[in-house]
Amino acid sequence: MMTPFQTGIIAEASSDALFITFNVNRSEINTLKNALAAAPALIEELQAQFPAAELHAAIGLSDLIWDELDTTRPQLLATFPHITGKDIEFTPTDVDLVLHIRSSRHDTTYQLASVLFKAFGNSVTLVDEVSCFKYLDNRDLTGFVDGTENPAGEQRKAVALVGDEDPRFEHGSYFNLMRFVHDLEKWEKEDIKTQEDIFGRTKHTNQEYPSAEKSVHAHTKRTSLKDENGNSMEILRHSMPFASLTEKGLMFASYSKTPVIFNLMLESMVKGDENGNTDHLMKYTRATTGQAFFIPSNQWLMSLSNSK
């Protein structure tokens, strides 16, 4: 039975993923609408064909293309923020459309990507395609476990899915995607204690430092935010490493019911706290892309068949 939300949003971590971005040919908007309307059924068909592959997908649209498809829009949809600090800068590289496809089998991930790309036809132009993989026990190529603080169980829906605060776009999600290219040669010159202090957690046993023992520059310090009531501000991360012999890094991917939390995390990393203490992990990696999207509900996608 089809879920109201796209299953790629809240499914558990996968061992294989594709992040594919496109720009849209505006003269082929009706072709795009037909493809998006057909996508939930195409995805469900392949999920049924490969039931053990844990195949999931999420299709997202940016601020740049949204108004070509709908006369109303998600309340907080915007382009990726341009954030500049003393030593770090995150620059928007927004595109129109994203596919986030993942499974436990690379062949199945590829097959769904191929089916959807064929459906889009001449309506899109490929911008980027990054294949990612599970590294060891869900570690980044720095050697540290990624996504440790993710919400679990039903809390994943509570964190990631828009609710009745924006009823027209209920069951959707705000998606942020960044490609980080690591300087692993520089990173691997640091001793393990220095690396652990930069992250704010132990490397091999994945134990987070007590708050009082964290450096103000620690990655976990800069990205662990509290609201005015002292509650943790959460996002759902689906980041995964990518690598070739010449370039290695992380596709940072996060879902949330609001983009505000992610934007605050970026500010904390780049501009720092009230004393300007920034995230020192950024000395060993650089963001080459920054993109923001809204992942609409399956019902919204299917409704496009009636909106010519």
Side-chain angles (χ1 to χ4, degrees), residues 11-13 135 137-152 156 199 201 206 208 219-220 223 234-241 250-254 281:
E12 295 294 336
Y135 181 62
D137 51 337
N138 290 318
R139 292 178 185 262
D140 176 45
L141 296 176
T142 58
F144 284 76
V145 174
D146 187 64
T148 300
E149 299 301 318
N150 260 350
R156 295 167 79 85
F199 264 93
R201 65 171 60 249
N206 189 35
E208 187 165 351
H219 181 61
T220 54
T223 58
E234 294 182 288
I235 57 176
L236 179 57
R237 295 169 174 85
H238 283 304
S239 306
M240 291 186 76
L250 181 78
M251 290 299 288
F252 176 89
S254 71
L281 182 59

Side-chain angles (χ1 to χ4, degrees), residues 39 62 145 239 266 271:
S62 80
V145 174
S239 306
L266 292 188
K271 295 184 177 180

Side-chain angles (χ1 to χ4, degrees), residues 75-96:
Q75 291 177 0
L76 301 176
L77 180 61
T79 54
F80 192 90
H82 188 181
I83 302 177
T84 303
K86 181 180 178 183
D87 303 307
I88 312 164
E89 181 176 12
F90 290 152
T91 303
T93 60
D94 288 291
V95 295
D96 294 331

Side-chain angles (χ1 to χ4, degrees), residues 164-203:
D164 57 11
E165 69 275 10
D166 192 2
R168 172 83 170 84
F169 296 101
E170 190 174 6
H171 306 301
S173 187
Y174 293 90
F175 179 58
N176 286 284
L177 184 64
M178 300 179 74
R179 180 175 181 149
F180 284 95
V181 177
H182 296 342
D183 186 345
L184 291 180
E185 184 176 356
K186 179 181 179 181
W187 175 253
E188 289 163 0
K189 288 178 181 177
E190 304 290 3
D191 59 57
I192 289 180
K193 183 61 169 63
T194 299
Q195 292 180 356
E196 291 179 336
D197 289 347
I198 289 168
F199 264 93
R201 65 171 60 249
T202 59
K203 188 170 187 177

